[in-house]
Amino acid sequence: KIFDLSMDCHINVLSELKKESENQVKQEKAINEKYRDRDLIESIYMVSALKNDGVHDVLKMLVGKSKVRDWILADGFQTEMSPVERATEIIREKVFRTVHREVPHKVKISSRMFETYIRDGEKVLRIEHDLIVRTKSHARILKGKSGKALRIIHSSAQDELSRIFKCEVDLHLQIKLAKNQYLSTDSNTFDEDHNPYQ
């Protein structure tokens, strides 16, 4: 069984409210009076996550308002995403963590192949994805100096994919330039691209 909770929460950060302040009680009372006048506000909690003050009260309230129900996914399942969608999201995460600026948000990741084969008696999952960008400058950033960024993306993604799918993963990533600014799947391979991780 799991706890299901559906509710609206409003978090107001008050960095100026000091624990050691002599006026803390007055400040807390003023805050309570101010927000209790508004509709739909049931309770207010003064919390310091750094000092773990009041956190238990919030957790107790959340558990108290939740309802016990069956799991969404059957036993043994971890996500509703298809294997291809899962692989795509893992690669997207590695792109986001590896490159900087606005480039990760302007990369379209498209799957070209996702199939298994047997090599030396062991199952191997071959995954081919295109990393589609709008400009050559974005492609260069995604590739990195001497292909370093793409190697990092490839290595970290391949390791996690192998762990998740519990088999050897043969991952191939290719940077492509979109023919137009809308990142169409009809794209050209980046002229300076190669497979630096091979």
Side-chain angles (χ1 to χ4, degrees), residues 58-71:
V58 175
L59 293 176
K60 184 177 179 181
M61 178 273 294
L62 293 173
V63 172
K65 290 184 175 296
S66 60
K67 299 177 181 179
V68 178
R69 64 177 178 83
D70 292 330
W71 288 93

Side-chain angles (χ1 to χ4, degrees), residues 41-194:
I41 294 181
E42 182 178 327
S43 53
I44 297 173
Y45 296 87
M46 308 299 289
V47 176
S48 171
L50 289 175
K51 298 182 179 179
N52 200 30
D53 183 23
V55 176
H56 178 73
D57 295 334
V58 175
L59 293 176
K60 184 177 179 181
M61 178 273 294
L62 293 173
V63 172
K65 290 184 175 296
S66 60
K67 299 177 181 179
V68 178
R69 64 177 178 83
D70 292 330
W71 288 93
I72 297 174
L73 302 175
D75 186 26
F77 286 84
Q78 298 178 335
T79 176
E80 292 181 302
M81 290 191 295
S82 70
V84 174
E85 290 172 332
R86 200 170 184 189
T88 300
E89 287 307 307
I90 288 171
I91 295 170
R92 190 187 314 280
E93 177 204 352
K94 304 311 177 185
V95 170
F96 184 83
R97 291 179 179 274
T98 303
V99 297
H100 59 296
R101 302 172 189 165
E102 78 282 5
V103 176
H105 306 288
K106 295 182 179 179
V107 177
K108 178 177 179 179
I109 301 176
S110 177
S111 175
R112 284 189 289 112
M113 180 182 291
F114 190 97
E115 59 184 41
T116 59
Y117 63 93
I118 302 299
R119 183 170 65 192
D120 298 329
E122 299 291 334
K123 184 177 77 169
V124 178
L125 174 59
R126 183 178 177 91
I127 301 174
E128 295 183 8
H129 273 63
D130 291 333
L131 309 180
I132 306 172
V133 294
R134 298 178 182 178
T135 67
K136 287 187 176 182
S137 62
H138 284 172
R140 292 189 184 96
I141 293 174
L142 188 57
K143 178 183 175 182
K145 186 176 181 180
S146 300
K148 182 178 179 180
L150 188 58
R151 282 197 300 272
I152 293 173
I153 294 168
H154 173 269
S155 177
S156 57
Q158 185 167 256
D159 288 346
E160 185 165 346
L161 289 167
S162 296
R163 179 179 59 81
I164 288 176
F165 293 114
K166 295 179 173 57
C167 68
E168 181 182 346
V169 171
D170 183 16
L171 177 63
H172 292 260
L173 302 176
Q174 188 172 49
I175 301 174
K176 289 189 173 183
L177 277 178
K179 281 189 175 180
N180 58 59
Q181 62 178 332
Y182 300 107
L183 291 182
S184 166
T185 54
D186 182 16
S187 57
N188 294 324
T189 301
F190 177 46
D191 293 338
E192 299 179 26
D193 180 52
H194 60 291

Side-chain angles (χ1 to χ4, degrees), residues 7-63:
M7 62 181 297
D8 293 327
C9 296
H10 176 74
I11 300 175
N12 189 21
V13 180
L14 300 173
S15 58
E16 73 277 6
L17 186 59
K18 304 295 184 181
K19 196 71 178 177
E20 61 272 16
S21 172
E22 296 179 358
N23 296 322
Q24 182 189 357
V25 176
K26 292 182 179 179
Q27 288 177 309
E28 291 182 1
K29 184 177 179 180
I31 292 171
N32 273 273
E33 291 176 352
K34 175 181 178 181
Y35 287 100
R36 284 190 190 281
D37 290 339
R38 302 186 179 184
D39 294 335
L40 304 179
I41 294 181
E42 182 178 327
S43 53
I44 297 173
Y45 296 87
M46 308 299 289
V47 176
S48 171
L50 289 175
K51 298 182 179 179
N52 200 30
D53 183 23
V55 176
H56 178 73
D57 295 334
V58 175
L59 293 176
K60 184 177 179 181
M61 178 273 294
L62 293 173
V63 172

